């Protein structure tokens, strides 16, 4: 009996000795891209915005936690030039939309990452825009190569949940072709490195 107990203790000790601690991956802002697109009745606009930092903690093969920050002042519009670009950019930064002067940073905090039947993952987390936090969920592809982690995702966000109601047909009547759709999309290519 003592031999069995000793063997069990030895095995447990070896498992503890060889167990790898969780690994923290730090977001690489220079290698990470975040593109956006917003649609209205008469067309669409698109551009980019900068992820400024964050981290992801991986335990074994499981993503356990994570967060990243977005600089709202870094919004770029790609489909307009000159004065039209400046006008729309100023409007996006105004209180009608993202109130960038008051809320310069948007944050995402990871709640869970679970494998799905398609080979990818379902990501759940909390997105904070204009100081308002809402739960969101989206599919993602996550891969590792050496000390580099890559996560790709297409995310839909309902702007009205964050008190961005400008020209939303759900809140204003008779907008006609001046209406702007509530959902905007984000396409994320996140790169993070261990160590």
């Amino acid at each position: 009996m003592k031999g069995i107990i000793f063997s069990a203790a030895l095995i447990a000790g070896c498992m503890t000795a060889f167990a790898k601690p969780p690994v923290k991956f730090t977001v690489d802002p220079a290698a990470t891209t975040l593109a956006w697109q917003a649609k209205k009745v008469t067309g669409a606009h698109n551009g980019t915005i900068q992820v400024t930092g964050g981290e992801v903690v991986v335990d074994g093969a499981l993503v356990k936690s994570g967060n990243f920050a977005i600089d709202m002042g870094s919004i770029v519009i790609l489909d307009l030039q000159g004065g039209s670009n400046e006008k729309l950019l100023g409007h996006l930064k105004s209180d009608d939309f993202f109130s960038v002067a008051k809320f310069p940073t948007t944050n995402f905090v990871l709640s869970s990452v679970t494998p799905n039947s398609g080979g990818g993952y379902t990501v759940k987390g909390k997105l904070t825009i204009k100081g308002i936090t809402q739960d969101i969920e989206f599919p993602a592809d996550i891969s590792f190569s050496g000390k580099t982690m890559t996560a790709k995702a297409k995310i839909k966000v309902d702007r009205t949940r964050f008190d961005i109601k400008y020209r939303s047909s759900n809140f204003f009547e008779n907008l006609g072709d001046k209406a702007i759709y509530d959902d905007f999309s984000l396409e994320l290519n996140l790169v993070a490195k261990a160590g």
Side-chain angles (χ1 to χ4, degrees):
M1 186 67 176
K2 289 182 179 179
I4 294 173
I5 294 173
F6 176 77
S7 297
L10 183 62
I11 291 169
C14 288
M15 289 178 67
T16 301
F18 290 105
K20 293 183 179 179
V23 178
K24 182 173 76 172
F25 289 78
T26 301
V27 172
D28 181 353
T32 296
T33 60
L34 183 60
W36 62 266
Q37 184 184 60
K39 294 182 178 181
K40 55 185 179 179
V41 172
T42 56
H45 295 293
N46 68 281
T48 62
I49 191 165
Q50 185 64 50
V51 175
T52 55
E55 64 181 36
V56 179
V57 176
V58 178
D59 191 353
L62 301 176
V63 177
K64 303 297 289 184
S65 63
N67 64 79
F68 62 83
I70 300 167
D71 174 13
M72 298 306 294
S74 70
I75 297 173
V76 172
I77 300 166
L78 296 177
D79 63 291
L80 295 175
Q81 302 297 322
S84 296
N85 186 302
E86 293 176 6
K87 182 178 179 181
L88 178 57
L89 184 60
H91 199 188
L92 290 177
K93 292 181 177 182
S94 76
D95 290 342
D96 281 341
F97 287 95
F98 295 104
S99 301
V100 173
K102 298 176 187 174
F103 304 99
T105 304
T106 283
N107 293 289
F108 175 76
V109 178
L110 187 67
S111 300
S112 66
V113 176
T114 53
N116 59 40
S117 58
Y121 296 85
T122 298
V123 176
K124 295 181 180 180
K126 296 184 179 297
L127 180 65
T128 302
I129 300 175
K130 293 179 69 172
I132 300 168
T133 301
Q134 299 285 357
D135 292 322
I136 64 168
E137 177 179 331
F138 54 88
D141 293 320
I142 301 171
S143 59
F144 297 88
S145 177
K147 292 187 175 183
T148 300
M149 171 189 171
T150 301
K152 297 181 178 181
K154 292 183 177 180
I155 308 163
K156 279 192 175 182
V157 180
D158 180 351
R159 64 188 176 94
T160 64
R161 298 175 66 206
F162 300 91
D163 196 31
I164 305 171
K165 300 172 183 176
Y166 182 80
R167 289 190 183 174
S168 167
S169 58
N170 286 321
F171 293 89
F172 300 96
E173 297 179 354
N174 304 316
L175 289 172
D177 62 4
K178 295 184 181 296
I180 300 171
Y181 295 117
D182 291 345
D183 288 346
F184 67 88
S185 62
L186 298 171
E187 186 168 346
L188 174 67
N189 186 354
L190 186 76
V191 178
K193 297 181 179 179

